[in-house]
Amino acid sequence: MDALDGAGARSAPWALLGAQVRRVRVVGIAVPLTTAALIALAGSCWALAAGTASASLAMLVLMPLYAAAAGLCAAAVFTGDALVELHASTPAGFRAVQTMRAAVLLVAAAAGGFALFAPLHLLGVVCNDAGWASALSPAGGAVIMVLVAYAAALAGSGRSATLVVALVWLFFALIWDPNMASLALQRGVPLLVLLAVGACAWHALGSPEYAWKKLGGAR
């Protein structure tokens, strides 16, 4: 009996992972990866049709759209379920479900960023390209947006989470990234800040007060 209980405990995280991959695979995985592929295809066609210089300028506008897609899809995934149903129908608890979803989305976001960067890098249409390390810019940008969505979803409202993600994305696309030459600072500083914010969000998701509020006790 103890052996069966131990095997069940070991398999529980994998079962939760599989369930969340199936749950988010369209919005959380397929849509961002498709967006990355379309941007890469657009950049490749642009380079072949109009030259690398013109394509490089176009990619300054198009590449940040991948981070926006990843963040908005993450906001939809984190807030798209009926929270009472989710809390009552899963043995793992709401925090475990949200955190496992975040892990899936982070891996997908990073993979999409590298998939977006690779063909554009090989064609030489990435501005300020410093080699393969520059893939951290699109991949890191998407990861940042997923972390923002994870924290913003604490509000429980899809509209609020989407608005926060959009505003943060505008800040990075229009202010932070264009004025931050160092890749380490461009992605490292926001990631450190958002990891701390994500840790606070993780703690809040497990609080009894938060669970009570989501179950309707605060109404």
Side-chain angles (χ1 to χ4, degrees), residues 78-196:
F78 289 133
T79 60
D81 278 323
L83 298 182
V84 174
E85 176 189 352
L86 182 64
H87 216 33
S89 63
T90 59
F94 185 64
R95 176 168 65 180
V97 170
Q98 290 289 76
T99 304
M100 187 64 78
R101 288 186 179 190
V104 172
L105 296 178
L106 287 170
V107 171
F114 280 97
L116 165 64
F117 176 81
L120 301 178
H121 167 72
L122 294 174
L123 288 170
V125 298
V126 179
C127 288
N128 302 318
D129 194 344
W132 287 104
S134 293
L136 294 175
S137 182
V143 166
I144 286 170
M145 290 298 104
V146 172
L147 291 173
V148 169
Y150 177 74
L154 276 174
S157 166
R159 180 178 298 178
S160 299
T162 299
L163 179 60
V164 170
V165 168
L167 291 175
V168 173
W169 174 78
L170 285 173
F171 168 76
F172 278 102
L174 300 180
I175 299 174
W176 181 264
D177 289 354
N179 294 294
M180 192 61 61
S182 169
L183 181 60
L185 292 177
Q186 182 191 88
R187 290 293 175 254
V189 171
L191 281 173
L192 288 175
V193 172
L194 284 164
L195 284 173

Side-chain angles (χ1 to χ4, degrees), residues 51-93:
T52 57
S54 177
S56 296
L57 294 176
M59 288 303 100
L60 283 175
V61 177
L62 293 180
M63 285 184 70
L65 295 178
Y66 170 64
L72 293 174
C73 288
V77 165
F78 289 133
T79 60
D81 278 323
L83 298 182
V84 174
E85 176 189 352
L86 182 64
H87 216 33
S89 63
T90 59

